[in-house]
Amino acid sequence: ITRRDLMILALAIGAMQAFPQMSQAQARRFVASCLTGSWEVAFRDNAVPAFRRDNNNAEIALEPMVSVEQLAKISAAKANPPPPLDVAILDNGPSLVAIAQDLVSPYPVAQSKYYRDILPDAKSPMGVAPFFQIIGIAYNSDRIKTPPTSWDDLWKPEYKGRVGVTNLNSSMGMGFMVALARKHGGSEANIDEAFKRLGDLKPNIGAVAANPSQAAALFQQGQIDIAPAIFNEIMLLKARDVPVDFVLPKEWAVGYNSTMHIVKNSPYAELAFNYIEACLSPEVQTKMMQAPYLVVPTNSKVKMTGEIAKMFGNVEQLQEKLRFLDWKTINQNRGAWVERFNREVKI
């Protein structure tokens, strides 16, 4: 423990003694969560500096964690506020749970400079998404010379033992399974057809990833050659000279978002709002759209350029190429499907 650490600790204790109503959590810094992997890099490099510049150089702790971990943390603190996070960024499914459990506050839409410019699929009265996550097909460009064009290509016999899939605990894994069900006559309420098709795919499955970042890493480690994957995770690897590329299936790609919320009972609600606003701004979204981040923007005022424009075209074309899912229905069955996946998909 350094002398500086001791001074900070003494100041915190003094503040709590001077103001008994101030809990230890309230004496902490402002904390915003972010997703893991490439998302952390994008937010740390772009959103954090913009927020600090416009908020008198305010201190901010950026904590990377997956959605379900964030949900568990703020849920556990509900009975003993304030919560450990001030801003949560949750995938569609966990976001609906957080809203249902009254863990997040309504977004101050009337005060927002940017909310009206956000695309409809990326906003709700309770929160707003600063980017889209897009599930398509990633492949090893050294080993696969003819790029895949359809979800059906994963079942080609030449990919025996070389296909990657992602656990249904992740929104990406669940999104792929529901897309597979819909392609074969199922729906968000019934993905039996997807499990049947997954059974046929088992000879080709070489690895099961726990989350999208790990799925991307499997390419870097040479364990798989083709897999459902998230666009910007793969493009970040490509920028690092990993032989990997990404395509949108001819049927359609799956789109989902990660919604930013002001956590209820946050002692830093104003800073939380200001941080989310920074993430929604055209300035920050334009920077995050550039290489190496390649984050797909949700602000309609952002002109798509570079690799984003090459892959998705303009805002209107992007929305035509994506299918968004009914996560409210998915949540009703998600636990049972996760258990079934864990039982039936074994390498």
Side-chain angles (χ1 to χ4, degrees), residues 11-13 15-16 22-30 82 267-268:
L11 287 170
I13 292 172
M16 286 185 281
M22 179 181 285
S23 68
Q24 183 176 358
Q26 286 172 301
R28 64 164 170 74
R29 287 187 297 173
F30 167 59
Y268 296 110

Side-chain angles (χ1 to χ4, degrees), residues 103-322:
L103 300 175
V104 295
S105 299
Y107 195 69
V109 173
Q111 301 172 35
S112 175
K113 293 169 58 178
Y114 307 114
Y115 186 87
R116 65 182 178 273
D117 298 326
I118 300 300
L119 296 172
D121 286 313
K123 63 184 179 183
S124 77
M126 298 298 292
V128 59
F131 57 79
F132 286 130
Q133 300 203 57
I134 296 174
I135 306 171
I137 303 172
Y139 66 99
N140 183 312
S141 53
D142 277 353
R143 294 173 60 91
I144 299 177
K145 297 303 182 182
T146 302
T149 60
S150 166
W151 293 117
D152 292 335
D153 289 344
L154 299 174
W155 281 259
K156 286 185 175 181
E158 57 261 41
Y159 300 141
K160 184 176 181 180
R162 303 302 298 170
V163 173
V165 295
T166 303
N167 195 291
L168 299 201
N169 282 321
S170 74
S171 296
M172 191 193 86
M174 185 63 73
F176 167 67
M177 284 291 284
V178 174
L180 189 58
R182 289 176 63 173
K183 176 176 167 61
H184 294 280
S187 68
E188 282 87 341
N190 179 4
I191 65 170
D192 283 345
E193 287 301 318
F195 277 107
K196 291 177 184 177
R197 291 286 293 164
L198 202 65
D200 297 336
L201 185 65
K202 284 184 70 173
N204 281 14
I205 297 176
V208 178
N211 55 58
S213 296
Q214 188 180 98
L218 292 172
F219 283 98
Q220 192 170 16
Q221 296 160 6
Q223 295 188 48
I224 60 174
D225 292 333
I226 187 170
I230 297 291
F231 168 73
N232 77 303
E233 294 275 7
I234 296 304
M235 299 309 285
L236 185 60
L237 288 182
K238 183 179 179 180
R240 295 171 178 166
D241 295 325
V242 177
V244 66
D245 215 333
F246 181 94
V247 296
L248 298 174
K250 64 183 180 182
E251 298 91 346
W252 32 263
V254 178
Y256 69 98
N257 56 53
S258 298
T259 309
M260 301 188 82
H261 297 278
I262 300 171
V263 179
K264 195 163 188 178
N265 295 316
S266 163
Y268 296 110
E270 183 177 356
L271 286 179
F273 172 71
N274 292 346
Y275 176 70
I276 295 174
E277 285 287 291
C279 296
L280 301 181
S281 69
E283 173 201 348
V284 168
Q285 290 204 11
T286 297
K287 289 180 179 178
M288 292 173 71
M289 181 180 63
Q290 308 305 317
Y293 316 108
L294 298 177
V295 173
V296 181
T298 59
N299 190 315
S300 62
K301 301 297 185 183
V302 176
K303 181 181 179 181
M304 294 187 180
T305 59
E307 289 289 341
I308 297 285
K310 181 180 176 181
M311 180 67 64
F312 305 109
N314 56 33
V315 170
E316 291 76 20
Q317 292 170 324
L318 167 68
Q319 294 178 100
E320 290 172 2
K321 294 174 181 179
L322 302 182

